[in-house]
Amino acid sequence: MEWKITDGLTDYNDAVAFMEARVAAIAAGEADECVWLLEHPPLYTAGTSARIEDLTDPDRFPVYEAKRGGEYTYHGPGQRVAYVMLDLNKRGKDVRRFVQQLEEWVIAALAEFNVTGEIRDGRVGVWVRRNDKPLTASGLPAEDKVAAIGLRLRKWVSFHGISINVEPDLEHFSGIVPCGITEHGVTSLVDLGLPVTIVDVDAALRKTFSEVFALDRA
């Protein structure tokens, strides 16, 4: 499998074009699986379940139709995106299990920094409890989203993937209702008080990937 790391900011359309071509090549047996780590310039993406009313500031940043699952998300500098092009023909053809593995991967990577990531029914992504914040309007503990997950499959090969907030400008999320959720907020590793860099997160992702995915190979 190839690990591809791109410095600087990658144009969204260029990234999609690469993924489209690589997925086709993987499906044809002409290329290895690939995990691509990158950052985008500030932008919003709309998944297949996105509701236009959740785009609250449509003129702020470019908006792209992502054709992945999910609703609106933000990408930008300081957020590590991991595009995951894996062949589920060799990994059991179980979409639900694959999504669980992506969640487990993020949670394992966060654990490298002593951050407890959790998943919630009805809320896509990975969340952290914020005991330092007031209770929500419903009286429950506050929780912030630290990582997003959005996936697409073609011929049982995955693309798109995950994003982890390392040190993005969190105010940029205010132009959307992230993933359609209004009661909870968004955080980052630096916002949580951790002196973590993109390079640190890359190391954690590479270390934990094989722990989650390697044993699933057919």
Side-chain angles (χ1 to χ4, degrees):
M1 193 189 78
E2 178 186 3
W3 284 84
K4 177 180 171 68
I5 302 177
T6 300
D7 295 327
L9 303 179
T10 300
D11 178 81
Y12 186 77
N13 284 332
D14 289 347
V16 171
F18 175 89
M19 285 192 288
E20 295 267 2
R22 186 61 172 255
V23 165
I26 293 170
E30 298 169 353
D32 292 332
E33 295 177 312
C34 178
V35 176
W36 186 12
L37 306 178
L38 56 81
E39 293 173 86
H40 285 304
L43 58 92
Y44 298 129
T45 65
T48 54
S49 302
R51 300 175 298 178
I52 190 62
E53 61 267 28
D54 288 341
L55 181 61
T56 58
D57 192 354
D59 299 323
R60 187 171 191 181
F61 298 126
V63 181
Y64 296 89
E65 298 291 332
K67 298 181 181 179
R68 50 150 179 81
E71 301 184 41
Y72 282 105
T73 60
Y74 166 78
H75 294 309
Q79 180 192 74
R80 180 48 104 202
V81 174
Y83 286 136
V84 181
M85 289 152 273
L86 299 181
D87 188 356
L88 270 65
N89 291 289
K90 301 176 180 179
R91 295 175 179 271
K93 290 187 177 181
D94 186 336
V95 177
R96 178 173 294 183
R97 174 60 184 147
F98 185 62
V99 172
Q100 291 174 341
Q101 287 176 308
L102 291 175
E103 294 168 339
E104 292 168 7
W105 183 31
V106 173
I107 290 169
L110 294 176
E112 293 291 307
F113 309 107
N114 295 315
V115 173
T116 301
E118 299 177 293
I119 57 173
R120 293 288 180 264
D121 289 340
R123 282 194 262 141
V124 179
V126 178
W127 301 78
V128 293
R129 300 187 189 192
R130 298 302 303 268
N131 295 325
D132 56 324
K133 289 188 173 184
L135 297 178
T136 66
S138 59
L140 297 174
E143 296 180 341
D144 285 345
K145 190 172 191 174
V146 70
I149 297 174
L151 192 64
R152 189 177 181 192
L153 295 176
R154 180 177 296 154
K155 295 182 178 180
W156 289 102
V157 180
S158 69
F159 55 125
H160 297 283
I162 67 172
S163 59
I164 298 177
N165 297 331
V166 183
E167 193 178 7
D169 186 337
L170 295 178
E171 203 277 329
H172 287 179
F173 286 88
S174 66
I176 57 173
V177 178
C179 299
I181 296 165
T182 58
E183 189 174 18
H184 299 282
V186 179
T187 190
S188 69
L189 294 176
V190 170
D191 182 54
L192 293 171
L194 299 169
V196 177
T197 68
I198 290 282
V199 173
D200 296 329
V201 170
D202 289 352
L205 287 170
R206 294 195 67 160
K207 176 183 176 183
T208 56
F209 180 88
S210 59
E211 299 170 4
V212 174
F213 288 98
L215 295 179
D216 241 46
R217 295 296 305 219

